[in-house]
Amino acid sequence: MSSREQEVIVVGGGIGGLSAAYALARVGCSVTVLEQAEVFAEVGAGIQLGPNSYKMFQRLGIVDEVNALSAFPDYLAMRDSITAEHVVKLPAGEAFRKLFGFPYAVIHRADLHTALLKRCEAHGSVRLVTNAKVVEIRQNGAGVEVMTEGGAKLSAAALIGADGIWSMTRAIVANDGEARTAGHIAYRAVLPTAEIPEELRSNTMTLWAGEKTHLVQYPLRGGELFNLVAVFHSDRLTEGWDAAGDPDELHAKFADKCDQVRTLLGKIESWRMWVLRDREPTRDWVKGRIALLGDAAHPMLQYLAQGANMAIEDAVCLADMLVNEQGDWDRAFRRYRDARYLRTTRVQLSARLYGEIYHASGATRDFRNAELSSWPIEKHYQGMAWLYGIEPTWRDDGCSRPLGPAQMGSAA
Ligand SMILES: Cc1cc2nc3c(=O)[nH]c(=O)nc-3n(C[C@H](O)[C@H](O)[C@H](O)COP(=O)(O)OP(=O)(O)OC[C@H]3O[C@@H](n4cnc5c(N)ncnc54)[C@H](O)[C@@H]3O)c2cc1C
């Protein structure tokens, strides 16, 4: 690549944008990240990381940093939030690691974001610019030109739109309007574990599945912090993104849930609220020298806890494709899209389905509990293989190489 052809602009400095910036810098690009906010930062909440993103961390050489900042649940559990009975309790220790190659981890978002930011700062080929809201993008024969709200003009050979669910880049590439509201609201909070009654502390990632609601709890920072995400159906459909939550509405939605759930919710005084959104999957990720990545490309409901995991996979795949195509952005972008869009489509659609399972009522809830609790552990692991068993040997048919039945059987 000529030095001009190596220049790429990344719009957005979230987990996806920083992963892409670092992955592209490592393969020889000169990267400028434009972030609209005053500082590079993440919201104060936890995030779950599957073995699939660990395989990407291995490629990026940051496994040790991530390990040092993560907590590792002993179990992944689903409990009925009305009766408190265990529906599923999957060991996430040695057998899980042996099977999928890496652990299941939980981490504070700010810690993961800071680890990526430090890598970008330390890399001589990444320029990080804040207060740089991109308002216009133009393409010409030689690449892209970008205008920021402050009047700055930049140009590069290519541009990655990693600007999240409200992506302005997507409006240029796919032009498919706003993301749809799911009719579900998430409240998030992080508190010191010392504030949780001892009998409710646990090193398990627990999802309390209830009718039209669920609550997720897990430890953070080696157990020092405790993360809670409460989700419920609501007709407050349009407003609210990292806004203050209304505890009265929350408590009313969980009033019929078991003591443990209500006690946990009662520990929080101030919640942050998200009106949840996603989009119909699409193949429209690329237009000329612009490609979408992360939530800009495939915004999904968080019920599989995979939005950021998918953004990290995108980043590694994109850099690999650029190397494979010897710096030809047009070919690399097309191959990146073809390698990624069916996998992310599957995750987007599965996340919706999982939301229905978590929020089931009546006979559907009874069936869920009876069916899932009857499965042997190996069957649950098998059900995860398509997601966590990925190897980063990208193929144009969706890139995942899940573990075969013989390997799955050896987990027992
Ligand atoms: C309640 C909840 C729980 C979740 N839990 C998990 C989980 O456990 N595991 C998981 O993998 N995922 C989870 N997710 C999803 C995950 O948060 C997202 O998928 C992920 O953060 C997307 O990263 P991104 O970098 O693509 O976008 P974002 O994080 O949205 O970053 C976009 C960045 O672009 C910037 N930007 C936007 N427009 C412009 C512009 N015009 N110019 C310049 N900058 C701009 C923004 O300021 C922002 O910094 C969860 C989501 C929610 C709502």
Side-chain angles (χ1 to χ4, degrees), residues 185-189 213-215 228-232 236 245-257 261-262 264-272:
I185 293 190
Y187 277 36
R188 302 207 269 204
T213 63
H214 76 271
L215 173 70
L228 288 174
V229 185
V231 179
F232 55 86
R236 270 167 73 179
D246 170 3
D248 291 343
E249 185 184 18
L250 178 71
H251 292 305
K253 298 284 182 182
F254 284 82
D256 63 340
K257 305 301 181 280
V261 166
R262 283 186 292 107
L264 283 172
L265 295 178
K267 291 287 154 197
I268 312 284
E269 280 163 19
S270 109
W271 293 89
R272 305 301 295 170

Side-chain angles (χ1 to χ4, degrees), residues 11-17 34-37 42 46-48 109 132-134 162-165 168 186 188 218 229 241 274 276 293-296 302 305-309 311:
V11 183
I15 290 170
L34 300 176
E35 168 54 50
Q36 64 184 2
E42 254 293 347
I47 199 164
Q48 302 177 52
R109 300 168 78 95
K133 178 173 182 173
V134 172
D163 46 348
I165 197 156
M168 66 82 68
R188 302 207 269 204
Y218 52 81
V229 185
W241 190 257
W274 277 256
L276 299 176
L293 181 143
D295 275 8
Q302 85 285 6
Q306 279 288 323
N309 284 256

